[in-house]
Amino acid sequence: MRKDPALLQAGQPQFSQPRNRLTANCGGDIPEAGEAAGSPGLKSRLAGLGGTERRQQRPAVPVECRPRECPPAPEWMSGSDSPDLPWVAIPGPGTERPNLPAAGDRGPGTAAPPLPGAGCAQGPAPLPPLPNRRLGGAGPAEPQPMGAQGAARGAGAAVLVPLPGSGRDRPAGRPAGKMAVAGSGWNLARLAEGLGSSEQALRLILSILMGYPFALFQRYFLFQKEAYLIHLYNVFTGLSIAYFNFGMQFFHSLICVLIQFLILRLMGRTITAVITTFLFQMTYLMAGYYFTATEHYDIKWTMPHCVLTLKLIGLAIDYYDGGKDPEFLTPEQRRFAVRGVPTLLEVSGFSYFYGAFMVGPQFSMTDYQKLARGEMTDVPGQRPNSFVPALKRLGLGFLFLVTYTLSSLYISDEYLTSDDYMEKPFWFRCGYILIWGKIILYKYVTCWLVTEGVCILVGLGYNGKDQNGKPLWNACANMKVWLYETTPLFTGTIASFNINTNAWVARYIFKRLKFLGNKLLSQALALFFLAIWHGLHSGYLVCFQMELLIVIVERQVMNLVRDSPALSTLASITVLRPIFYVLQQTNHWMFMGYSLVPFCLFTWDKWMKVYRSIYFFGHVLFFTLLLVLPYIRRLIVPRKEKLKRAE
């Protein structure tokens, strides 16, 4: 079989055998040797294929096909190696397709190679669809419209990926290696496609929802049973979720859990064990980010692994604190210190707890041990009365899910880098970022609220009782929804969003850097840790750098308003407060969205394109305020107020 170089360069398989017009009725019109795809002659012959005009020009005439006049089977059907094309269409999540160019990538009016054995038909033959072996039939690779994920690739959509050594950048949305996913079946792939989502996103939602039946089983059949049964149950359910989402790639978490157990046992309660844990777990996570990174947010094994990394580092530090004299520990450290020696089964159950394995929240080993002993309940000796609080969080999570799904039909990340966005006026570009920044975080809010409900249902969310004796179920809360929706301050959003992760960083990073003697430096290092923990993309560093800058300026402005008699009097006028609130909220979400642009777009070329379109407005404003506010303070704050502040 001879391949035509012109067509190979255009990305088309070419079968160079003599033309026979009868083959048009056997599955396709094969171009002559040297006739490139998309050439005028080929376009004219294929234009309107199967349409009314074509039938009028060449009426359908029954023709008897002979086997020798039909083209031979393509190489991918005969089991030989696929053509060495510079680009190949690989399947989207949950499907497999042969190594042929996608329907939309063959060039205008170019027919796909015919299927062998298609038989004869009266009249012009239609373009054959790309075969889909996994779906058990044929289905065309249709272009995906901009939807909840922008130009999202639904399950079964072809994704262009260069062959190794082609020297071309890989389009975003899929790693070079195909992820092995357990149970990538017909029904789940089609369901995800019908919902306008990727199969991996659907698996994530199903995984966190599966926590509710798992929690009900533990409540009614394992409450106050032997601790090892609960550990085994958590390991089995957590590994099942990992396998359901990532296939055999769940072994990454197994390796880290086993190594962590060996570090605790062999190195004991030493600072060496803490440093070794930090270096090993973070290095493993960074390596995972490096080898699986794409230009988009992908749901792969590194997503739950970053949650696991914090768990295991926190466990090592708490185990280290457990060997110290309680007098030398802070009240917070005494609460979380691990006094006993955890077994391998205990460490595994803590790591794979089904309610927090995929997306969090973070919790301590001491709280997990209380859960295994049946102590996480508002009524000692009885199951926790947490059914209603859990359902409330689940319902609230569904509300945010619906809001995000409907809003994302019109708001997407991809639009920020589109030509249409760039052509809009400046005020529109800023307004779009404001609305986008508010909506884009709802997908995280949804996941955290649903998983919080799982933790509450099983009892892990129990946090004692308030002063009125009412039980609190916020131990695993990752969101303060009312504060998040109503605060006009950046610090308020930080205090209400991803609470447990922020508390973990404050407890194990920020406060442990107290020896530096510089609060601002400790805060900067903590944010740097958060940035690299999220990933290796430049956008994370820019986002958290911007967060630090905004928080510093916001605190200076608040101190200025409080210390200036004129500004404090103006701010206390009741009639003007609604106006101030609206202005604050507008400013708050405008620059919250501004900070999230690099966080969500990841790569330098994308977030720089957006920032250039709005002239780096946020950086210019806040760096200017950082330099100017001290001089403004000297002008409008009386000296006596400065002396009071100094005292």
Side-chain angles (χ1 to χ4, degrees):
M1 183 180 301
R2 181 168 59 87
K3 308 181 182 70
D4 186 89
L7 285 182
L8 287 181
Q9 186 176 4
Q12 307 300 321
Q14 167 67 30
F15 306 95
S16 57
Q17 75 172 43
R19 171 181 301 278
N20 191 318
R21 293 298 180 183
L22 298 181
T23 59
N25 294 328
C26 302
D29 193 7
I30 307 302
E32 297 177 354
E35 186 175 14
S39 64
L42 185 59
K43 290 181 180 179
S44 62
R45 288 195 299 273
L46 292 179
L49 189 60
T52 304
E53 182 179 353
R54 174 64 178 262
R55 287 195 296 269
Q56 291 175 355
Q57 294 177 358
R58 193 178 69 178
V61 178
V63 179
E64 179 183 359
C65 285
R66 290 172 290 178
R68 63 182 179 84
E69 297 172 332
C70 294
E75 293 183 63
W76 58 266
M77 292 292 291
S78 61
S80 60
D81 295 334
S82 59
D84 188 17
L85 304 177
W87 293 89
V88 295
I90 71 168
T95 63
E96 291 181 353
R97 296 183 188 272
N99 289 330
L100 286 175
D105 302 312
R106 284 191 286 266
T110 306
L115 295 176
C120 298
Q122 294 184 359
L127 285 172
L130 287 175
N132 191 321
R133 294 192 294 273
R134 176 168 293 177
L135 298 183
E142 300 177 356
Q144 299 297 317
M146 181 176 295
Q149 305 298 329
R153 282 176 287 274
V159 183
L160 285 180
V161 175
L163 289 174
S166 65
R168 302 190 185 183
D169 295 331
R170 179 172 69 250
R174 181 130 180 129
K178 180 182 175 182
M179 179 180 295
V181 178
S184 293
W186 185 89
N187 291 328
L188 199 57
R190 283 294 178 88
L191 178 59
E193 186 175 10
L195 294 174
S197 173
S198 68
E199 184 180 346
Q200 287 297 331
L202 180 60
R203 287 176 182 273
L204 172 62
I205 294 296
L206 292 177
S207 298
I208 61 179
L209 289 176
M210 281 192 291
Y212 285 88
F214 290 160
L216 288 173
F217 182 89
Q218 184 170 340
R219 277 176 60 97
Y220 290 104
F221 296 100
L222 295 177
F223 182 74
Q224 289 193 332
K225 299 294 183 182
E226 290 81 356
Y228 79 90
L229 292 177
I230 297 176
H231 300 326
L232 283 173
Y233 179 72
N234 289 333
V235 172
F236 173 76
T237 52
L239 284 175
S240 299
I241 291 174
Y243 183 75
F244 173 70
N245 283 274
F246 313 113
M248 292 305 298
Q249 290 183 348
F250 75 88
F251 78 87
H252 293 289
S253 59
L254 276 178
I255 291 174
C256 290
V257 170
L258 179 60
I259 295 297
Q260 185 59 50
F261 173 74
L262 293 176
I263 290 174
L264 297 180
R265 281 300 181 93
L266 298 178
M267 297 185 178
R269 304 177 190 271
T270 62
I271 191 64
T272 304
V274 174
I275 295 175
T276 303
T277 294
F278 187 90
L279 293 178
F280 172 76
Q281 300 296 351
M282 287 300 295
T283 301
Y284 200 103
L285 179 63
M286 294 300 103
Y289 284 151
Y290 179 80
F291 288 108
T292 64
T294 65
E295 296 180 2
H296 282 72
Y297 187 86
D298 300 311
I299 300 175
K300 48 185 178 287
W301 66 267
T302 54
M303 185 190 70
H305 200 87
C306 69
V307 178
L308 178 64
T309 298
L310 295 191
K311 278 186 182 180
L312 297 179
I313 293 175
L315 171 61
I317 297 176
D318 291 337
Y319 188 66
Y320 171 71
D321 289 341
K324 294 182 179 180
D325 190 327
E327 296 181 359
F328 297 99
L329 300 176
T330 65
E332 183 182 52
Q333 292 172 346
R334 285 196 294 269
R335 176 192 170 191
F336 295 110
V338 177
R339 297 296 175 184
V341 180
T343 65
L344 176 60
L345 190 59
E346 197 171 19
V347 173
S348 301
F350 165 71
S351 302
Y352 285 107
F353 172 66
Y354 53 86
F357 174 72
M358 290 295 290
V359 295
Q362 293 293 325
F363 57 90
S364 66
M365 172 61 86
T366 54
D367 286 344
Y368 175 76
Q369 291 172 333
K370 292 178 183 179
L371 176 68
R373 294 193 299 264
E375 299 176 5
M376 298 292 281
T377 175
D378 55 327
V379 183
Q382 299 182 21
R383 297 184 186 91
N385 297 314
S386 57
F387 197 80
V388 174
L391 289 184
K392 287 182 178 179
R393 304 310 276 183
L394 175 62
L396 196 56
F398 276 130
L399 177 62
F400 277 94
L401 176 61
V402 172
T403 303
Y404 172 76
T405 303
L406 295 179
S407 301
S408 59
L409 296 175
Y410 310 97
I411 306 294
S412 69
D413 299 349
E414 284 74 13
Y415 185 71
L416 286 170
T417 57
S418 67
D419 293 336
D420 185 57
Y421 174 81
M422 299 299 166
E423 294 172 357
K424 297 294 184 181
F426 177 77
W427 66 266
F428 178 90
R429 296 196 294 268
C430 292
Y432 186 89
I433 289 178
L434 185 152
I435 300 173
W436 169 84
K438 181 72 173 178
I439 298 299
I440 197 66
L441 294 179
Y442 281 174
K443 58 184 177 182
Y444 304 105
V445 176
T446 295
C447 293
W448 291 333
L449 288 174
V450 174
T451 54
E452 181 189 349
V454 175
C455 296
I456 292 174
L457 185 60
V458 78
L460 189 61
Y462 181 65
N463 198 24
K465 298 182 179 181
D466 61 13
Q467 57 185 4
N468 299 321
K470 184 179 179 180
L472 300 173
W473 300 102
N474 59 357
C476 294
N478 243 356
M479 287 296 305
K480 295 179 180 178
V481 177
W482 181 253
L483 178 62
Y484 175 78
E485 292 295 334
T486 59
T487 181
L489 303 175
F490 293 95
T491 51
T493 299
I494 295 172
S496 63
F497 186 82
N498 204 2
I499 298 172
N500 275 284
T501 301
N502 291 335
W504 189 99
V505 173
R507 183 163 62 246
Y508 296 112
I509 304 296
F510 177 74
K511 294 179 182 179
R512 304 278 172 165
L513 295 175
K514 186 177 180 180
F515 67 90
L516 295 175
N518 189 313
K519 185 177 180 180
L520 182 60
L521 178 59
S522 299
Q523 187 176 8
L525 291 175
L527 288 175
F528 176 76
F529 171 82
L530 266 179
I532 63 173
W533 173 73
H534 276 90
L536 299 178
H537 290 293
S538 61
Y540 293 126
L541 292 172
V542 175
C543 172
F544 287 103
Q545 166 268 321
M546 195 66 198
E547 176 186 329
L548 179 62
L549 174 62
I550 291 176
V551 168
I552 292 174
V553 171
E554 183 180 73
R555 287 174 178 170
Q556 290 183 0
V557 172
M558 292 174 64
N559 292 336
L560 179 63
V561 172
R562 181 193 59 203
D563 297 338
S564 170
L567 293 179
S568 59
T569 301
L570 183 65
S572 63
I573 299 176
T574 306
V575 178
L576 297 179
R577 284 184 177 179
I579 300 176
F580 292 150
Y581 179 79
V582 172
L583 293 176
Q584 278 185 290
Q585 279 285 22
T586 303
N587 173 76
H588 169 216
W589 283 110
M590 169 62 212
F591 294 106
M592 183 62 68
Y594 182 90
S595 302
L596 288 172
V597 166
F599 185 91
C600 296
L601 299 185
F602 299 135
T603 57
W604 169 276
D605 57 324
K606 291 183 179 180
W607 59 259
M608 277 292 290
K609 182 179 181 181
V610 178
Y611 275 174
R612 281 196 296 263
S613 72
I614 54 176
Y615 314 111
F616 292 89
F617 179 46
H619 285 83
V620 172
L621 175 63
F622 283 96
F623 274 114
T624 301
L625 289 174
L626 184 66
L627 297 175
V628 172
L629 281 175
Y631 297 99
I632 296 178
R633 183 178 181 83
R634 292 179 184 178
L635 294 176
I636 65 177
V637 176
R639 182 172 178 79
K640 61 179 181 179
E641 294 293 337
K642 297 178 183 178
L643 294 176
K644 289 181 181 179
R645 289 286 299 163
E647 294 174 358

